[in-house]
Amino acid sequence: MTSYLFRNVSIWDGINDQEYPGEVVVENNRIKTVARGRNAIGGESAAVVIDGQGQFLMPGLVEGHCHLSFVGPARNQDLGEIPPEEHLLRTCRNATLILNHGFTSAYSAASAKLRIDVVVRQEIQDGYLAGPRYRAAGPEITTTGGLGDERKQHMHAESFGMIADGVDEIRRAVRLCCREGVDNVKFNISGDEFVSHARAEIVSLSEEELRVGVNTAHDWGKRVACHSRAAESVKRAVRAGVDCIYHCDFADEEALDMLEAVKDKVIIGPAFGLVHNCVFEGDVVGLTKDVVERMGMPRKLEFTIATYKEMRKRGMRVVVGGDYGFTVTPIGQNARDIGHFVKFFGYTPAEALKCATAVGGDLMGHKGELGVIKEGALADILLVDGNPLLDQSVLVGPGRFSMIMKDGKMHRDPRDRAMPERRKIAAE
Ligand SMILES: [Zn+2]
């Protein structure tokens, strides 16, 4: 039996708004005890005692809109052109990378090829690959001409879409994903700004197709997520019973009311990082102001911001997750979205952190036992040199995590590392 006692730590539990000095005992893969104050728990209660030197102890981060197999494409069809062998290896590297950045869980919002997510999840679960808890998805189920269809009349192309038209093909596509072992199914109900054919405010999947798809996925016990930017695509998603609705940028009053009515069941995710980086940092990857303007990105940014200020007021459950994996959004920077929630959507730091921990734990299928520090919860724990309630940027980049524990196992062990320089000085 493995057990750890963490002493001299400042605990932020994913439930309360403030951190507090305390101690935590982990036994096997669960948190056994959480106590307030110092020296509340005897050293004999765990095999290993770790002095946190006053650092910040918090739940592992959850990426709520993850694409491990998006290996930096400039164009969507680039993902279709990578051979499966290279694609799999690069996805494995992303799995380890994101765990090194403090994300102990990730909910896939689509796999670029059907089996990549499934194989990577299995390799992680079996203990051969370092990576987060991972809910695998299939490709984005879409229609001819919808987001993810990069074909031309004269030329075949693949990207991240699985094209299906009509209820029979949709049902078959869902069953195919289920047969191959996905945990999540994803539908593209609207288009997007970065493709020319079905723009963000076009609704490309019919209500009939969506209902059949969602019901089939639910029959198989899968969670359903969708890409919905247009107001009507949000309404369609609510009516069809989708579990997780991404984007919702152009939600109108009626769509917001419908979302609010199902807020205990449905989880929302803005995937803001991609929009943010296109507008403010597009030039880094050659997206000039002109191109970004022509794509309608600044307008989308304004709508997204207004929508999520409203979502917050209405008490919607929103996950952090930013569509990282494109050239303009390199994987590893995912935690930037926590700061974006504060800066752009008006969340308090504690609210934004809950979106990246406790709400994400619910999306992962572990409501109340993942993304929280409490007795009985799964032991996904970070030790951070810095206070993210004061400055969310300390969670960006791997440098400030002196410990990353997933499922009670050390991925980064604080005993292997010298304590940060300034703490060493303070201790002397
Ligand atoms: Zn996405």
Side-chain angles (χ1 to χ4, degrees):
M1 188 173 73
T2 324
S3 58
Y4 297 92
L5 164 60
F6 299 101
R7 273 187 168 159
N8 190 14
V9 288
S10 195
I11 302 171
W12 181 73
D13 57 15
I15 303 158
N16 291 292
D17 289 344
Q18 290 296 321
E19 76 275 31
Y20 54 87
E23 299 178 335
V24 175
V25 175
V26 169
E27 201 171 273
N28 297 322
N29 71 330
R30 298 260 172 190
I31 295 171
K32 188 182 175 202
T33 317
V34 182
R36 283 178 185 256
R38 301 198 190 284
N39 298 316
I41 302 174
E44 71 289 345
S45 54
V48 179
V49 179
I50 290 175
D51 179 353
Q53 302 198 12
Q55 290 187 85
F56 196 89
L57 183 146
M58 64 175 285
L61 298 171
V62 183
E63 164 58 70
H65 186 122
C66 188
H67 295 294
L68 288 184
S69 62
F70 286 18
V71 292
R75 307 167 312 149
N76 299 341
Q77 56 267 47
D78 292 344
L79 289 170
E81 289 173 12
I82 309 168
E85 296 83 358
E86 284 91 326
H87 206 159
L88 178 62
L89 290 172
R90 291 173 65 184
T91 305
C92 289
R93 293 209 294 263
N94 279 342
T96 304
L97 182 81
I98 200 170
L99 180 60
N100 287 339
H101 284 68
F103 286 87
T104 50
S105 295
Y107 185 99
S108 177
S111 175
K113 293 183 173 71
L114 173 53
R115 286 183 42 78
I116 291 188
D117 259 12
V118 169
V119 170
V120 166
R121 176 208 61 207
Q122 210 51 47
E123 199 70 358
I124 296 169
Q125 258 180 27
D126 293 346
Y128 296 113
L129 173 68
R133 296 174 190 275
Y134 194 53
R135 285 188 67 110
E140 304 182 16
I141 297 174
T142 191
T143 57
T144 294
L147 170 64
D149 178 8
E150 295 294 339
R151 301 170 302 175
K152 305 242 183 313
Q153 183 60 39
H154 67 288
M155 189 169 67
H156 185 78
E158 296 279 346
S159 68
F160 46 70
M162 180 184 276
I163 298 152
D165 292 296
V167 292
D168 290 341
E169 284 187 22
I170 294 276
R171 197 186 283 115
R172 184 173 175 279
V174 173
R175 287 175 178 161
L176 185 60
C177 292
C178 295
R179 184 189 74 191
E180 296 303 323
V182 304
D183 305 302
N184 315 326
V185 173
K186 167 99 176 272
F187 295 100
N188 288 348
I189 309 178
S190 82
D192 212 315
E193 306 292 7
F194 59 92
V195 288
S196 55
H197 34 282
R199 300 297 291 260
E201 287 161 89
I202 298 287
V203 186
S204 48
L205 190 67
S206 75
E207 183 133 6
E208 192 190 14
E209 290 167 317
L210 179 63
R211 278 186 192 279
V212 166
V214 173
N215 290 342
T216 307
H218 282 164
D219 282 347
W220 283 73
K222 308 302 178 187
R223 282 212 162 177
V224 177
C226 70
H227 174 104
S228 287
R229 295 207 189 263
E232 172 57 27
S233 68
V234 175
K235 296 172 198 174
R236 228 167 253 192
V238 174
R239 287 196 294 265
V242 172
D243 306 297
C244 173
I245 307 178
Y246 288 127
H247 311 303
C248 305
D249 320 66
F250 297 102
D252 57 16
E253 198 62 25
E254 187 189 11
L256 288 166
D257 288 344
M258 288 174 72
L259 288 172
E260 192 177 354
V262 292
K263 69 180 177 187
D264 294 334
K265 280 194 295 190
V266 170
I267 291 179
I268 313 292
F272 187 61
L274 182 59
V275 182
H276 172 277
N277 287 14
C278 282
V279 172
F280 296 111
E281 298 164 15
D283 48 346
V284 178
V285 295
L287 281 172
T288 61
K289 283 265 175 294
D290 271 9
V291 172
V292 170
E293 192 71 47
R294 227 180 305 132
M295 285 164 80
M297 285 291 184
R299 180 170 172 272
K300 182 155 82 182
L301 181 100
E302 275 175 38
F303 274 85
T304 310
I305 291 170
T307 298
Y308 282 87
K309 283 184 170 167
E310 191 59 31
M311 295 270 195
R312 176 181 171 267
K313 279 190 207 146
R314 292 176 184 238
M316 301 296 308
R317 293 180 306 149
V318 178
V319 280
V320 161
D323 244 334
Y324 287 86
F326 292 92
T327 315
V328 73
T329 49
I331 287 192
Q333 297 187 358
N334 308 54
R336 289 183 72 191
D337 278 52
I338 302 169
H340 294 337
F341 272 46
V342 176
K343 182 176 173 192
F344 294 96
F345 303 158
Y347 282 66
T348 66
E351 285 170 348
L353 283 172
K354 285 176 197 172
C355 296
T357 52
V359 185
D362 188 354
L363 182 62
M364 290 296 293
H366 293 287
K367 187 177 186 175
E369 63 162 10
L370 184 66
V372 287
I373 304 293
K374 70 173 192 190
E375 292 175 1
L378 291 160
D380 286 17
I381 304 174
L382 307 174
L383 211 47
V384 187
D385 177 35
N387 184 341
L389 288 169
L390 301 176
D391 175 7
Q392 295 77 54
S393 74
V394 299
L395 298 175
V396 182
R400 305 296 280 270
F401 299 114
S402 51
M403 180 186 82
I404 299 169
M405 171 180 272
K406 190 192 91 180
D407 212 29
K409 293 195 180 71
M410 289 288 187
H411 172 64
R412 179 174 298 160
D413 192 325
R415 293 168 297 174
D416 294 344
R417 287 157 60 95
M419 275 292 173
E421 203 56 36
R422 73 179 169 78
R423 288 182 190 280
K424 256 198 285 185
I425 293 163
E428 286 161 4

